[in-house]
Amino acid sequence: MKILFLDQSSEPGGAELCLADIAQQFAKTSLVGVFTEGLFPDYLRQWNIPVKVLADQTFQVQKTSGLLAALKSLNQLVPLVTRVAQLSKHYDVIYANTQKALVVGALTSFLSNRPLVYHLHDIVSRDHFSAINRRIIITLANQAALVIANSQASFDAFIQSGGRAENVHIVYNGFRLESYENCVNDPKYLHSLLASDFTNFDSGDFPFFVGHFSRLSPWKGQHVLIEALQYCPDNVIALFVGDALFGEQAYVKQLREKIQVLNLEHRVKFLGFRSDIPQLMAACNLVTHTSTAPEPFGRVIIEAMLCGTPVVAAGAGGAVELINHGQTGWLTPPGDAKKLADIIKTCQNQPNQAKAMAQKAQTQASKLFNLETTNLKIAQLLDEVLKTF
Ligand code: UDP
Ligand code: GLC
């Protein structure tokens, strides 16, 4: 099957990593069109997935932009759609992976008479999108031959915003199990990385590493973990893995100021964007997820489970579908730093129970979130689209 995948992002966020895993099975016959050059197209090249950069400049509309910004972007849209329409003649299906890709994909699908598939990675609600953008997403997605929702939470929000249920199928993200098989739950991996920052490794007062793996962005809630540290023992260390992928520098500044005000410099470390996520997660004592708005899916939660590391997540959106509270991890109210600190302390004080829970989660996650199964499901859905178009 020849698929023209479209994604607006130049950076490898969760939606892009998910797309790369799906596109790889069609790599011989398909193409991923991205709007600008960056780390994501580089990542695709590393995996030998054909990629083409389609636009000369960044498409300017943000998720929360209003009508004016949307109209202003039209002068960028026309040449982009013309280019994609030409390209799409060589493909059977147009597969839009992000909101702006949906706009381009829908227009192209109309012009070139190719079926449109939309992979919905977002919760279409006012927490995440302006009213005009919600309207655009729903109107265009309702024209698609197939919508793939990344969770029940994304599905529900889509329907509540006016989306048609008939063409929507929920398919969870899948993961390459082999990437996690050889991970060792050993903090030594972190010791070598951090030795110069934390000097007490040899003193017997072992640090308790709490990892946070996410792009630095206000709704990802890194500040909640920083606040929680105040209520935890001194040997609890927070590691932030991830970068401000979409220009959230003001938030990074706020985080650093908070750390200074709370006098926590010696207990927080920013590692930036990393590609050794399984190794880092496996070396942490606990992985935290702290999104303050409902998380559409939350890849990091499943990745932590596959590493056999205990995980605590903000109990909203897709996270609630992924964790069985008290059985395979913990859920805390979004934004509640004290409750998060309570879980960190429980996990620190009861390592055997936490480990048993993590092992149960690992077994369950390997069964439910295997990439092979996911890819099979997606291929079947795409076959169906081609047969019925
Ligand atoms: N990630 C990464 N390097 C980093 C930080 C995060 O590769 O330094 C990955 C992480 O492993 C996960 C993805 O980025 O696969 C984030 O996806 P998630 O669904 O958790 O959140 P999103 O950013 O897509 O909202
Ligand atoms: C988006 C969502 C995230 C989800 C990912 C993969 O980036 O924000 O929650 O895990 O897509 O579907």
Side-chain angles (χ1 to χ4, degrees), residues 123-140:
I123 289 189
V124 187
S125 70
R126 62 178 59 203
D127 283 324
H128 293 278
F129 292 95
S130 67
I132 177 78
N133 280 349
R134 293 204 298 276
R135 179 93 54 89
I136 292 171
I137 295 174
I138 299 299
T139 308
L140 298 180

Side-chain angles (χ1 to χ4, degrees), residues 12-15 17 213-215 219-220 241-243 272-275 277 281 295 297-300 303:
L17 296 173
F213 296 76
S214 184
R215 56 200 158 92
W219 77 274
K220 288 293 186 178
V241 180
D243 220 336
F273 188 87
R274 304 273 309 194
S275 29
I277 298 298
M281 281 187 171
E295 181 72 56
F297 176 77
R299 290 173 61 86
V300 290
E303 289 166 349

